Amino acid sequence: MSETVRLAVTGAAGRMGREVLLAAADRDDVDVVLAANRTPVEEIAGVPVRPVAELDDLFAETTPDVLVDFTGPESSADYVSACADAGVAAVVGTTGFGDDGLATLDSAAESVPVLKAANFSRGVAALRRAVREAVAALPGYDIEVTETHHNGKRDAPSGTANTVLEDIEAVRGDAERVHGRVGDQPREDGEIGVHARRAGDVTGEHEVLVAGNHELLSLTHRAGARGVFAAGALDAAVWVAGRDAGRYDFDDVLDER
Ligand code: NAD
């Protein structure tokens, strides 16, 4: 693998795609060879943005090492399939996949490396570790997970909240998610309350509340700007380039850096 990783970016004109292009312009370990978007835009951070329609042809022309994708689950699955056909590694930040989309990523990962993470922030990786420890140390305590995002976010709960919930469930086998509460709905033992708030331009907040025995522990992560996710995604792209085919997670990157 060459020292500079040749990068393709899909969803280039989206909130995250723009951040990835801006962050890439400040680094010397990546070189953006392709930025593509569904709808036409001129250029971002000095990189021309091309229509994404013929991604196979664009891959053949620009020969990227890694695709960084922040789009939607359907397009993302299509793009990762194109990566498998073209021998391009994939870094997937898109959230909200259903079982079919995840199966597509698994099958692509048989021929190329596919690194998917619902959150590319190091702080969230630390939050997840802290949550696993807290839940293990506080058996029987009530747990509530609340996430807040900007009003344009489509999937709920957030991919990050789902990941944190899976972490909790791995410790608490008998946990059951309860999404919001309305009317006569007293809390049952073993519930995990899940709350999704959508307002304004909030980049992303996640709080895990663990309470019982006259005490309350609140673990909160607040992302101040999308640049934090872009930096993590680019670290992941550099890490995954040239790896063996297979599924990887952002934790794999952090464990080695
Ligand atoms: P956005 O709406 O601002 O941008 C989405 C981009 O994807 C746009 O360019 C849009 O044209 C494109 N797109 C969407 N659906 C498409 C389709 N069917 N075909 C082709 N292009 C399509 O969204 P965003 O805030 O940039 O978020 C994008 C994704 O990244 C979401 O799933 C979000 O949850 C996720 N996200 C992940 C992280 C992380 O750290 N992993 C951080 C922030 C956002």
Side-chain angles (χ1 to χ4, degrees):
M1 188 57 52
S2 57
E3 273 185 27
T4 304
V5 172
R6 296 172 63 79
L7 213 67
V9 178
T10 40
R15 280 174 282 247
M16 275 308 304
R18 282 174 190 276
E19 289 294 335
V20 169
L21 292 174
L22 288 167
D26 283 341
R27 294 174 65 136
D28 52 16
D29 55 354
V30 293
D31 184 17
V32 178
V33 296
L34 171 65
N37 199 63
R38 171 168 58 171
T39 48
V41 284
E42 297 232 314
E43 62 163 51
I44 298 166
V47 181
V49 179
R50 323 244 326 239
V52 75
E54 305 293 334
L55 192 57
D56 298 345
D57 292 346
L58 292 173
F59 278 168
E61 180 192 325
T62 58
T63 63
D65 300 314
V66 184
L67 169 71
V68 175
D69 174 83
F70 286 90
T71 58
E74 281 159 26
S75 45
S76 185
D78 289 348
Y79 301 161
V80 173
S81 288
C83 283
D85 293 342
V88 175
V91 169
V92 179
T94 300
T95 60
F97 287 91
D99 290 343
D100 287 353
L102 292 173
T104 303
L105 300 197
D106 284 340
S107 113
E110 288 171 18
S111 40
V112 290
V114 176
L115 190 154
K116 175 180 174 304
N119 198 302
F120 281 107
S121 122
R122 285 163 188 271
V124 163
L127 172 77
R128 290 181 58 194
R129 288 172 196 203
V131 167
R132 286 193 290 260
E133 261 195 50
V135 171
L138 302 170
Y141 281 40
D142 297 334
I143 304 173
E144 299 274 313
V145 175
T146 303
E147 52 99 343
T148 309
H149 282 85
H150 56 89
N151 55 24
K153 183 162 179 62
R154 300 179 75 90
D155 53 319
S158 68
T160 303
N162 278 326
T163 306
V164 169
L165 286 161
E166 284 161 17
D167 290 337
I168 295 167
E169 287 157 357
V171 181
R172 285 255 182 111
D174 59 345
E176 192 191 335
R177 301 181 194 187
V178 173
H179 293 270
R181 291 188 184 83
V182 64
D184 185 14
Q185 201 179 348
R187 198 176 208 291
E188 306 280 345
D189 285 346
E191 274 184 25
I192 311 177
V194 185
H195 311 278
R197 307 192 300 177
R198 296 289 174 265
D201 61 356
V202 178
T203 304
E205 288 186 18
H206 293 85
E207 183 200 27
V208 179
L209 207 67
V210 189
N213 191 29
H214 312 294
E215 60 181 344
L216 180 151
L217 173 66
S218 166
L219 297 167
T220 300
H221 178 271
R222 200 166 285 133
R226 290 186 179 83
V228 67
F229 309 126
L234 290 176
D235 289 345
V238 170
W239 182 89
V240 85
R243 300 254 162 197
D244 291 340
R247 282 289 296 269
Y248 299 96
D249 191 271
F250 191 44
D251 262 349
D252 297 319
V253 181
L254 297 179
D255 285 346
E256 270 189 36
R257 288 174 72 102

